[in-house]
Structures are given as C-alpha cells and as structure tokens.
Amino acid sequence: QVQVVESGGGLVQPGGSLRLSCAASGSIFSIYTMAWYRQTPGKEREFVAIITSGGTTKYADSVRGRFTISRDNAKNTVALQMNSPKPEDTAVYYCKRANYPGDTWGQGTQVTVSS
C-alpha cells in the first residue's frame, strides 16, 4: 500500500489561489500514477486530476484550465495548484494512487471557496 497525507486546504476567496500537497509513502513512488479527487457531503467522490509517472496529466472538465497537478518524485509529493477557484470547488480533497482500489484513503484536506 501507498499511504498518503494531504495538506494545504483552507478558506480561499473566489478568484484567489491555493496549493494542496500530498505526501506519499513508498520508495518507488516515482513509478505510480497519482490522482486527486474531491467529495462534498451527500455526493460521491469525484475525479479532479491525474498525473502519470512520466508527467502526463488529465483533468476533469470542471477544473481544466484552472487547476494544475504536478509531482516531485524526489520528495514523494503530489501537488494541486488551484487558481481562480469557484464556490463549487468547495469540497474535501483527497489524493490517492490511481488504479489501486485496495489503498486506504487519506483523511483529506478541506477547501472552502467563499468571500
């Protein structure tokens, strides 16, 4: 298993910026595809962004052009840069190793977008 710890959430104004970070365990972190997801109360967890071991990225339509996913293999971290967030981006954000359903979810980090 790869264990993760998310951080960086908080209150941000619409149009501002926020950077989320995910620290992952494991000596071979660099080979894994990592992803960010988010969840709001009463709704299913949804995909936000993904990055492969080679750095290829994909985004949900709702965040494309505003959010950027990146990774630092030397530090075993994955980041999500949130630019121009909207109130509808308010959620608990989670990172996880993609394609490994047996991995445990982290505690997530709460992002609230409000003026």
Side-chain angles (χ1 to χ4, degrees), residues 7-105:
S7 63
L11 175 64
V12 60
Q13 292 187 346
S17 64
L18 196 66
R19 186 175 181 86
L20 307 183
S21 184
C22 169
S25 66
S27 59
I28 52 174
F29 168 82
S30 62
I31 72 170
Y32 299 130
T33 294
M34 299 295 294
W36 283 96
Y37 304 84
R38 65 187 182 187
Q39 188 171 25
T40 55
K43 293 186 177 181
E44 291 189 357
R45 195 170 281 144
E46 66 175 6
F47 165 78
V48 175
I50 196 167
I51 185 166
T52 68
S53 59
T56 299
T57 59
K58 289 186 179 180
Y59 299 90
D61 290 343
S62 59
V63 307
R64 187 178 296 113
R66 299 186 297 117
F67 291 8
T68 301
I69 188 172
S70 61
R71 66 190 299 161
D72 185 337
N73 291 332
K75 297 181 179 179
N76 279 21
T77 58
V78 181
L80 185 69
Q81 178 68 38
M82 303 173 62
N83 294 331
S84 299
K86 303 175 181 180
E88 51 264 43
D89 294 320
T90 295
V92 178
Y93 283 73
Y94 302 87
C95 77
K96 190 175 178 291
R97 184 173 51 162
N99 305 316
Y100 285 84
D103 281 0
T104 302
W105 291 91

